[in-house]
Amino acid sequence: MTTPPSSAAPPAAGPKPSRSAPGPAPWVRTRLRAAGAGSVLAAVLAFVAVGLAAALPRAQDRGADQALRAFLERGGPSYTSLLATAPPPQRDQGTDRLDSARATLLAHTGGSFHVDPAGTVYGSWTVKGRDLLNPGLAAPSGLPPVMRLLYVRHAQEHVRLVEGRWPDGDPAPGGAAAGGPPLRIALSQRAARTLGAGVGTVLTASPVPGEGPRAEVVGLYTVTDETEEYWTDLGCLASACLFQKGENTYWAADALVGAADLPRLGAWSPTPEDFWRLPVDTGRLRADRLAATEQDIASYLTGPVAAELLAQTGREMLRTDSRLPELFAQARARSQAAAPLAAIGPAGVAGVALVVLCLAGALAADRREAELRLLLARGGSRAGIVGRLLGEGAVTVLPAAVAATALAVLLLPTPRLAASLLYAAAVTLVTLLAFPVRAALLLSPPRPAARWRRPLGELLALAATGAAVYEVRRRGVAPAGSGTDPLLIAAPLLLALCGGLLLARLLPLVTGRLARAAARGRGLVGFLGLVRAARGTGVRGRGGPSVLPLVALLLAVTTGGFGAAVLASVDAARLAGAHRTIGGDAEVTSVGGAALPDGLVESAGRLPGVRTSVPMWTDDDAFVLGTSEGRTRVTLLVADPAAYAELSRSLGCGPFDPALLDGAATGSADAPAPVLFTAGLARKAGPGAHTLRAGPGGELRVRAAGTLDCTPVPSGPAGETVVLPAGPATALIHGGTRPNRWLALGSVDAGRLRALARASLPAATPPAAAAPQPGSGAKPADERYQVRTSAEYVAELGADPLQGSAERLFWSCVAGAAAFALLAVLLTLLRSVPERAALLARLRTMGLPRRQGVALILAESLPQTLAATLGGALVAAAAVALLGPALDLSTLVGALVPTGVRLAVAPVLTPALGLAALVAAAVLAEAATSGRRQITTELRAGDQR
């Protein structure tokens, strides 16, 4: 049956619309999705490496700036200020002229150095003081007191008036000389009490009233805060000062005048002088701009700026002085001396990080070798494949690098940015190119085998190492004092590289022999693990490129051991310097040479921690008669022979037999008493008996019973010492029977020792001695017995920020190098995880217990780790022995010490054992994780591993 045609027209014939075919998936997105964990690990590695690289120069800058500022501030405003002085103008001398000159001086600051305008101190003073000849004033030795007059701008804001009035008001007609009204002055209340003056006292510089310059005390004040920097270099304004003149003493006091009497200062002394003290803001100085700051300060003192100041202030005799140029030179020398040692740690961590980045790139390329070769076989070009790998790396590495750099800049703010960006860019480039470059080498056409390449490279590394070590030992750290020495930094790293190459040669042989020895046993685990370790230590063994983790471990251990040996030598040198300076671990001396109380010596010897107590009497003014010079000045030391022998032996001055001095027990004026001479004195004295003359009086016939190389007690001006045993013979010497010095060995508490010294003071002390005035040079009553300990001296030497910054930077770098070395081991383990897991799964099917599986992994992995740490310790010891004699540690110690680093076992072994334990724990954790893999997962169908 036919269907009738429809009335509607049929649709036009034509192709049906269809959805377009999907295009190829983006390469980078596909790869990142397929290997998400690997991409995250690559980003984390880039973040850590770039962050450390960006943070390193900023941390160094901050440490250098802090060290510079702390060094400059140690001397106080006296050392860090610009002091401008000029004679006052002949006419119109007033405060407006002082203010105008101050504004001009400040206008030329603010470049590389700044001055705080609020901290400036200026005014006018009399350079020389006048003797006050009023009867009844204090004159300790018959010498009259001396007074200077000062006008200090805004001084009223820093004092408190306690009596009278401030010397202000209308200027008095006439001068301060005879016939004119006296100058009105304000005097410190403490100075007034010391001198015996008060409000209304008219001080005159002439014994006849009215015949010389006069000054009337119209007010008394007290200084609000004597420690305020405002009073620095302003003399004795806070209180009177006691000065020494030969064997006599005299008082000196300074007084303030008001603005009204400022033009009349020349009447008191013919040498008045205007002054402006401009304190440089050391908190804004930068170590990297120290050269520019030096140049600007020099120009301000004696250069073009100084010439402009002469013209603009109208002071033809304006002179500006400062201690800053000297301090800058010292700071630069200190920084340059510490630079080679401070750069060893960063160089070590940089070397280890470079090895880790190369290892990560090599392992990634080896893991994807089959994929890359398949792409090349299907028509891909080598350049195109490398370009796509660069795109993969850019997506993961660049954002992590930018974030790490930004974080370092935010956390470590410093003015300089270029060094951080440069370091970060270099590490980013290495991180980005490590994998593509390795892939390009894998995809390169095969070349004929050349067995000579590896030996040639090793010989070149050995030759470079030998040349660097020889040059450092020949010339020392050079150029001397010019900063970082590249050879000194490269030599330990080259030694570590040679050690790694040597281990890569020896380790297969050693592990192979151990495997053959284990084959004769009954167990399978040791033999199988050692065989796999021997096969996996070659450059291209089945375990991958394992020379790189060896080099990483050796670099970390060598850098840590060498730096730890340097720091240990610094600590030992500080302690030795403290012993040389003090004479032991604790010292109590009597200021002025007076005898120590018997109770103090006995109580100090019973303090906890005292091992050896040595009371002694010393005299720096003794002479030995009958020498080649006629008479030789010596330091005489009277002590118990046995105690002194123990002290000498413990401090490294050499042992001697106390029996040599036994003859002194029966000494008399006729029989020479046996004594010990220093070597130089023995050569001058020659054989026979000599006469020993003590400074306090008395003579004694002595003979040299032995010689000493050195003495614990520092020698006096002559540099020679005579050790006389305490006994009857010392009765012939005045004062020799009572000790004036006490030395001890042991851990002595300085606080308890000082408490004993204060408790031994006389019950009553004269008022003047109880509170000596500033500048007198006399000791307060509680310092009559000086107490020093080696622990305090060592702490004082180690308080230098430059040393602390170098030490913190080193230990931070050691931690970073250890972390990177551990990462190198973990990357190597992760590379062999699939193969090792499959092996364990197959062995488990044959009855291998899980515990033995873990033991198998340890037997395979630990030989390389232990060999690397042990080899690193040996290389570190070799580096100390070869390079140590060339290092000068004086800057890090804080005192002049002999050149050289001592080789000690503990500093070298500690980093090696610590890193070995850390790596062993990581290997054990990885082994336990691998042992939990499922057998059914590893033995899946079609597995080709």
Side-chain angles (χ1 to χ4, degrees), residues 447-459 505 539:
R447 293 178 297 177
R451 296 181 177 274
W452 54 269
R453 290 175 183 162
R454 181 180 177 185
L456 180 60
E458 292 172 347
L459 288 176
R505 289 285 190 179
V539 178

Side-chain angles (χ1 to χ4, degrees), residues 94-106 122 276 312-313 315:
T95 58
D96 55 339
R97 299 290 295 271
L98 293 174
D99 296 341
S100 174
R102 168 185 174 272
T104 303
L105 292 171
L106 290 175
Y122 61 105
W276 298 264
Q312 295 178 8
T313 59
R315 307 278 184 128

Side-chain angles (χ1 to χ4, degrees), residues 51-306:
L52 290 178
L56 176 62
R58 304 183 72 80
Q60 289 176 325
D61 284 350
R62 289 167 62 88
D65 291 344
Q66 292 173 3
L68 172 65
R69 293 162 186 170
F71 174 73
L72 295 178
E73 292 170 359
R74 186 180 302 175
S78 298
Y79 289 81
T80 59
S81 297
L82 306 173
L83 181 61
T85 57
Q90 297 294 330
R91 295 180 301 174
D92 301 330
Q93 166 70 330
T95 58
D96 55 339
R97 299 290 295 271
L98 293 174
D99 296 341
S100 174
R102 168 185 174 272
T104 303
L105 292 171
L106 290 175
H108 288 78
T109 64
S112 60
F113 71 96
H114 298 77
V115 173
D116 182 10
T120 58
V121 181
Y122 61 105
S124 186
W125 56 30
T126 56
V127 177
K128 296 182 179 180
R130 296 298 297 262
D131 292 342
L132 301 180
L133 302 180
N134 298 56
L137 296 182
S141 301
L143 298 179
V146 176
M147 176 173 286
R148 291 191 318 149
L149 301 184
L150 297 88
Y151 169 75
V152 184
R153 197 81 166 109
H154 309 299
Q156 288 177 269
E157 302 174 4
H158 302 269
V159 299
R160 182 172 61 88
L161 193 67
V162 295
E163 187 178 350
R165 60 183 177 85
W166 194 255
D168 278 333
D170 297 331
L183 289 163
R184 294 160 295 183
I185 64 173
L187 191 62
S188 164
Q189 187 180 45
R190 292 171 56 186
R193 292 174 180 174
T194 302
L195 298 182
V199 174
T201 302
V202 178
L203 304 173
T204 178
S206 171
V208 180
E211 294 294 329
R214 294 177 300 157
E216 180 183 359
V217 180
V218 298
L220 301 180
Y221 64 85
T222 60
V223 173
T224 306
D225 183 8
E226 294 186 23
T227 62
E228 189 180 6
E229 294 183 355
Y230 181 88
W231 301 105
T232 302
D233 294 334
L234 290 185
C236 306
L237 286 175
S239 60
C241 304
L242 188 64
F243 288 98
Q244 194 81 19
K245 186 176 183 180
E247 297 181 355
N248 301 319
T249 57
Y250 66 94
W251 289 106
D254 297 335
L256 293 170
V257 301
D261 286 334
L262 176 60
R264 304 173 61 204
L265 285 180
W268 181 262
S269 175
T271 56
E273 189 176 66
D274 293 345
F275 70 93
W276 298 264
R277 193 185 77 225
L278 312 177
V280 175
D281 186 2
T282 58
R284 302 176 67 176
L285 295 180
R286 290 166 46 184
D288 62 295
R289 301 188 61 187
L290 187 59
T293 305
E294 283 185 284
Q295 184 176 359
D296 291 347
I297 291 290
S299 177
Y300 199 95
L301 298 180
T302 57
V305 175

Side-chain angles (χ1 to χ4, degrees), residues 590-598 600-601 617 735 737-741 785:
S590 176
V591 177
L596 294 173
D598 295 335
L600 173 60
V601 174
W617 180 77
T737 57
R738 296 284 304 278
N740 57 10
R741 185 190 298 261
Y785 305 127

